[in-house]
Amino acid sequence: MKRVSVLLLVIICILCTGCNGTVTRNIRHAGFNVSGTFKCSRFFAQSKDEVASEKIAYLTSNNIINTEGKIYEVSLAQPYVNKENCKEANTSIRVKAIMNDTIVKGMDGNYYYLTTQNNVERYSKIPVTDNSYLIYDILLKGDDVVKVVTANGSTGLYYVLKTDGNVYGNVVSTKDYNSPPQLMSTMIVYSKSQYGARIIDFNYAGDSLATFIKTEDKVYRMRISNSKECMKYADVDCIYEMKEDSMFDEYKDRIIAYNGALIITDYKQMFAVAS
């Protein structure tokens, strides 16, 4: 009986490994490179009959923010003392909205530095004396704001995801240092009707593979449509197009985090977008 149990366990492991190998192969074919493993137990199921205790809402290069707004610090290059690549941040902040992966709006309505800036400690409350405070306030103060990304800093264009599932292009103007910034215009740049469902996450990095749109059931990301030509010839410009990536639909239960540059799967494998 003991031999049968051991044999069954071995067969299950082989089947599971084979399944993960298929996922790895297909993610690589979709344009990603294998990039190490990620250990953070709270975001992974401990057995096939369980679910992870927490889910990831946002993944940045330095932090994870879960769906409840709790902040974790991330170290991909080496583990922390807890032997994992994540640890709870030493802060009581609960995130309601995020801007450029460096600024967050807390559930309390205040704005905080998510990363250390100008010798100011991370998780510190942003004072009204900060030169950009009024811009943060214009872009983040709405209760319906989810995420903000600077689209063009020189023209004051910011992309803003709201709870209605649309991404808006907001233009904030500063005439001079003596005049406060003002919201000059707003228009929808990515609409839920255009993508067939409510948008729940996005990143904008111009014509770049890091630009993506994530709806409730699909992922669209920037792809190069003439890669063979533009990679071969110096005088051929790459043409970028936003396209649905069916790989994310096929493995939506296996991919636990994606930020445009990095994928984390439920078997702890990381993948970096190929350049």
Side-chain angles (χ1 to χ4, degrees):
M1 187 66 181
K2 185 176 181 180
R3 289 183 177 178
V4 173
S5 299
V6 172
L7 181 60
L8 286 174
L9 182 61
V10 170
I11 292 173
I12 291 172
C13 290
I14 292 173
L15 290 175
C16 187
T17 302
C19 179
N20 292 343
T22 299
V23 176
T24 293
R25 183 170 59 253
N26 289 339
I27 291 178
R28 291 182 62 194
H29 287 170
F32 293 85
N33 295 326
V34 174
S35 180
T37 58
F38 182 75
K39 296 180 180 179
C40 190
S41 57
R42 66 189 68 246
F43 297 110
F44 297 99
Q46 300 306 303
S47 73
K48 65 177 183 178
D49 298 321
E50 298 179 1
V51 296
S53 59
E54 299 181 37
K55 292 186 177 181
I56 297 172
Y58 300 111
L59 169 67
T60 76
S61 57
N62 298 301
N63 295 96
I64 282 176
I65 299 173
N66 74 5
T67 52
E68 302 300 318
K70 190 173 182 179
I71 302 173
Y72 294 88
E73 293 174 8
V74 169
S75 172
L76 299 180
Q78 59 188 133
Y80 292 107
V81 174
N82 63 9
K83 298 183 180 180
E84 296 196 328
N85 298 108
C86 75
K87 68 175 183 177
E88 291 187 32
N90 185 24
T91 178
S92 60
I93 298 169
R94 290 296 180 268
V95 176
K96 182 177 178 64
I98 185 170
M99 178 174 176
N100 291 337
D101 291 349
T102 58
I103 302 296
V104 295
K105 177 183 179 181
M107 298 288 187
D108 58 5
N110 294 313
Y111 309 126
Y112 299 91
Y113 301 108
L114 185 60
T115 58
T116 301
Q117 298 185 36
N118 299 321
N119 297 320
V120 178
E121 288 295 321
R122 56 185 170 183
Y123 316 132
S124 299
K125 182 179 175 181
I126 301 176
V128 295
T129 54
D130 185 293
N131 291 334
S132 299
Y133 181 89
L134 292 178
I135 295 177
Y136 301 150
D137 192 49
I138 288 173
L139 297 168
L140 291 166
K141 66 181 176 181
D143 288 336
D144 58 348
V145 174
V146 177
K147 186 176 185 179
V148 179
V149 174
T150 300
N152 189 324
S154 61
T155 61
L157 176 61
Y158 300 86
Y159 285 179
V160 182
L161 173 61
K162 296 189 176 183
T163 54
D164 64 3
N166 296 312
V167 176
Y168 296 79
N170 288 0
V171 176
V172 177
S173 176
T174 52
K175 296 181 180 179
D176 56 64
Y177 289 108
N178 297 318
S179 300
Q182 295 180 340
L183 179 61
M184 304 302 293
S185 64
T186 182
M187 63 178 292
I188 295 177
V189 290
Y190 300 125
S191 69
K192 58 185 177 184
S193 60
Q194 176 185 3
Y195 289 97
R198 190 171 66 90
I199 298 170
I200 59 174
D201 193 14
F202 82 105
N203 184 55
Y204 180 78
D207 286 342
S208 163
L209 298 178
T211 296
F212 76 94
I213 295 289
K214 182 179 181 181
T215 71
E216 293 172 313
D217 54 6
K218 296 182 183 298
V219 170
Y220 300 80
R221 63 189 187 97
M222 204 69 86
R223 308 296 295 274
I224 302 174
S225 60
N226 64 334
S227 58
K228 290 184 179 180
E229 294 80 7
C230 80
M231 297 298 178
K232 184 176 182 180
Y233 302 109
D235 56 348
V236 175
D237 293 331
C238 293
I239 299 173
Y240 290 82
E241 295 179 355
M242 190 79 85
K243 295 182 178 180
E244 179 188 346
D245 192 330
S246 59
M247 182 271 294
F248 285 88
D249 185 39
E250 182 177 1
Y251 297 119
K252 59 186 175 183
D253 295 328
R254 307 299 308 275
I255 295 173
I256 68 168
Y258 171 61
N259 64 4
L262 191 71
I263 285 175
I264 300 177
T265 65
D266 65 348
Y267 56 101
K268 304 178 183 180
Q269 185 66 63
M270 294 190 297
F271 298 84
V273 66
S275 58

